[in-house]
Amino acid sequence: MRVGTVPSAAYDGVPYTRGGAVDRADVGALVRSAVDGDAAAWKALVEGLSPLVWSVVRAHRLSDADAHEVYQTVWFRFAQHLGRLREPEKAGSWLASTARHECLKVLRSLRRLTVTSDPHLLDRVSEDRTPEQSVLDSEEAAAESERIRWMWQEFEELGERCRQLLRVLMASPPPSYQEVSAALGIAVGSIGPLRQRCLRRLRARLDARGAL
Amino acid sequence: MKDDVNDTAPGGEPFDDPGPDGFDDTADDLGTGLLEESLRQAAAILDPVPAELRRLAVEAFALHDLDARIAELTFDSVVDAIPVRGAADPPRMLTFRADEVTVDVEVSAQGLMGQVLPPQRARVEVLSGPQRAVPVDADDMGRFTSDTPPAGPFALRLRTGGRVVVTEWLRA
């Protein structure tokens, strides 16, 4: 079953589909299959869109506990609304926007309660071990590992706006600008220029440090 | 590694049509594109989706229920109410609505109290994920209580008069 709903949207020369594990054009078809009870399609959606949801949550600098709960809430709600999505091909934007709203809600209630939880993730590194991590452990890769940590440090020290945007853009596969827009509440048209600016700023920091 | 980006196009790809001012933009874009890709790799290593969360999302498929009606959140004291001065830890008030059925819920450290309106009997499950939950009964007035306060994401599933209503998932 092939559903021909290839999004024609392309913004600032960045095509809707920027490649990756899940072809974004297939998202609509996967949603429809999942609605029909196809668990494999659901799994493919999770694989393809989890990093986007996680990136949005991380971009908002929640505590780990809050980040985990928001992530789960978003997926539970997505499962709940699965058969009711008006535009299944925009499931990524739906997830990104739901994640954003849940994050803002958390931040608002924290501000209200003035809880002294530490939202800074500066030195926080996931304890999950990925295949890439194991590679990094080998001695030959030590230099590469250090380079990556430097880059991460400089990224963390960027201004809030840039840090947020880049954290969302880092999702894999790369998010479409529509998804970025839904994730951060910024206009699609401003993402391209902002992205350039933020990456240039990061590049300058890295150059100053002599990295890369 | 030398900074000679301008001598050769990154990746060795020829530029077809740089256009006026296009060359610099394109070179810049490729440079930043590479940097973005490096960041993406760094994120995959230093801040990946925790495996446990990925698993929970896969299991969440069990929550899709095309027959259940969704009761949407129409009021949440965390968002909609002005905080009461002096009330250190006021209960959270929530209202969900699905067409003619309304569910009022009060969540506190002691647990959860609620009422189905219009008043009617119902079986109510306080869900915390895809797994089943022990149901409690709502009385003739539609009132129900649960001793365990929800922690993390939760939703209520109500069975009343042959209908199934599920409230929108929320964080406790």
Side-chain angles (χ1 to χ4, degrees), chain A residues 125-175:
Chain A
V125 162
S126 172
E127 285 167 19
D128 269 322
R129 302 186 67 75
T130 60
E132 291 92 338
Q133 178 101 51
S134 304
V135 170
L136 283 189
D137 288 343
S138 68
E139 268 185 42
E140 308 85 63
E144 174 71 358
S145 169
E146 188 173 18
R147 191 187 66 87
I148 286 170
R149 278 170 209 282
W150 276 8
M151 186 168 64
W152 197 258
Q153 242 169 42
E154 295 297 341
F155 149 72
E156 289 276 19
E157 282 165 24
L158 287 171
E160 193 55 19
R161 207 172 151 84
C162 280
R163 207 195 49 77
Q164 267 200 337
L165 176 67
L166 294 183
R167 187 62 190 85
V168 171
L169 285 169
M170 269 180 229
S172 176

Side-chain angles (χ1 to χ4, degrees), chain B residues 100-160:
Chain B
E100 74 283 10
V101 181
T102 298
V103 190
D104 283 326
V105 183
E106 211 178 295
V107 183
S108 67
Q110 282 71 47
L112 183 148
M113 276 167 48
Q115 184 166 25
V116 186
L117 295 164
Q120 57 195 294
R121 287 181 162 277
R123 304 215 86 184
V124 183
E125 288 170 86
V126 183
L127 303 173
S128 60
Q131 59 281 31
R132 291 194 162 276
V134 183
V136 295
D137 287 317
D139 64 15
D140 291 337
M141 298 294 290
R143 293 171 304 197
F144 58 93
T145 54
S146 161
D147 295 337
T148 37
F154 77 102
L156 303 182
R157 187 192 284 143
L158 291 88
R159 292 171 203 279
T160 172

Side-chain angles (χ1 to χ4, degrees), chain A residues 23-58:
Chain A
D23 190 338
R24 286 285 195 265
D26 284 341
V27 165
L30 286 174
V31 169
R32 289 183 189 90
S33 298
V35 169
D36 291 339
D38 183 349
W42 173 262
K43 198 171 176 202
L45 285 169
V46 172
E47 293 302 324
L49 294 169
S50 263
L52 172 63
V53 174
W54 185 243
S55 292
V56 177
V57 172
R58 287 311 223 188

Side-chain angles (χ1 to χ4, degrees), chain B:
Chain B
M1 232 189 304
K2 271 178 65 202
D3 228 358
D4 56 357
V5 182
N6 291 326
D7 296 334
T8 50
E13 302 267 22
F15 295 113
D16 283 335
D17 178 21
D21 300 317
F23 184 82
D24 285 336
D25 283 353
T26 314
D28 191 31
D29 190 50
L30 281 169
T32 52
L34 288 175
L35 183 55
E36 188 189 306
E37 190 48 41
S38 301
L39 278 171
R40 187 165 296 113
Q41 285 166 10
I45 293 163
L46 298 176
D47 191 18
V49 186
E52 168 70 4
L53 287 185
R54 210 180 272 265
R55 191 180 60 74
L56 285 167
V58 171
E59 288 173 1
F61 187 50
L63 291 171
H64 93 286
D65 180 351
L66 303 179
D67 299 325
R69 293 231 307 283
I70 298 177
E72 277 170 28
L73 182 69
T74 56
F75 177 83
D76 182 348
S77 58
V78 166
V79 180
D80 305 312
I82 297 157
V84 180
R85 201 180 283 266
D89 192 12
R92 183 174 178 193
M93 320 284 264
L94 302 163
T95 301
F96 300 93
R97 188 166 296 153
D99 299 330
E100 74 283 10
V101 181
T102 298
V103 190
D104 283 326
V105 183
E106 211 178 295
V107 183
S108 67
Q110 282 71 47
L112 183 148
M113 276 167 48
Q115 184 166 25
V116 186
L117 295 164
Q120 57 195 294
R121 287 181 162 277
R123 304 215 86 184
V124 183
E125 288 170 86
V126 183
L127 303 173
S128 60
Q131 59 281 31
R132 291 194 162 276
V134 183
V136 295
D137 287 317
D139 64 15
D140 291 337
M141 298 294 290
R143 293 171 304 197
F144 58 93
T145 54
S146 161
D147 295 337
T148 37
F154 77 102
L156 303 182
R157 187 192 284 143
L158 291 88
R159 292 171 203 279
T160 172
R163 269 182 324 206
V164 181
V165 176
V166 184
T167 65
E168 209 166 21
W169 281 89
L170 276 191
R171 272 181 74 256

Side-chain angles (χ1 to χ4, degrees), chain A residues 51-199:
Chain A
L52 172 63
V53 174
W54 185 243
S55 292
V56 177
V57 172
R58 287 311 223 188
H60 286 86
R61 281 190 189 268
L62 304 183
S63 72
D64 274 3
D66 286 335
H68 283 229
E69 289 187 9
V70 166
Y71 173 96
Q72 288 179 59
T73 304
V74 168
W75 281 99
F76 291 175
R77 205 180 286 175
F78 183 59
Q80 181 174 44
H81 282 85
L82 193 60
R84 301 168 179 87
L85 298 181
R86 252 170 281 153
E87 297 174 287
E89 63 283 351
K90 289 190 185 159
S93 297
W94 191 100
L95 285 162
S97 147
T98 303
R100 168 170 187 259
H101 284 111
E102 284 303 303
C103 288
L104 294 180
K105 205 164 157 176
V106 172
L107 294 174
R108 209 157 32 206
S109 63
L110 286 181
R111 221 171 290 137
R112 184 167 292 185
L113 296 170
T114 56
V115 165
T116 53
S117 73
D118 169 27
H120 295 282
L121 301 165
L122 204 63
D123 299 317
R124 194 166 299 161
V125 162
S126 172
E127 285 167 19
D128 269 322
R129 302 186 67 75
T130 60
E132 291 92 338
Q133 178 101 51
S134 304
V135 170
L136 283 189
D137 288 343
S138 68
E139 268 185 42
E140 308 85 63
E144 174 71 358
S145 169
E146 188 173 18
R147 191 187 66 87
I148 286 170
R149 278 170 209 282
W150 276 8
M151 186 168 64
W152 197 258
Q153 242 169 42
E154 295 297 341
F155 149 72
E156 289 276 19
E157 282 165 24
L158 287 171
E160 193 55 19
R161 207 172 151 84
C162 280
R163 207 195 49 77
Q164 267 200 337
L165 176 67
L166 294 183
R167 187 62 190 85
V168 171
L169 285 169
M170 269 180 229
S172 176
S176 72
Y177 280 10
Q178 277 173 323
E179 289 163 346
V180 176
S181 165
L184 297 173
I186 52 180
V188 165
S190 67
I191 295 169
L194 199 57
R195 168 185 171 277
Q196 286 293 335
R197 196 187 166 94
C198 293
L199 286 169

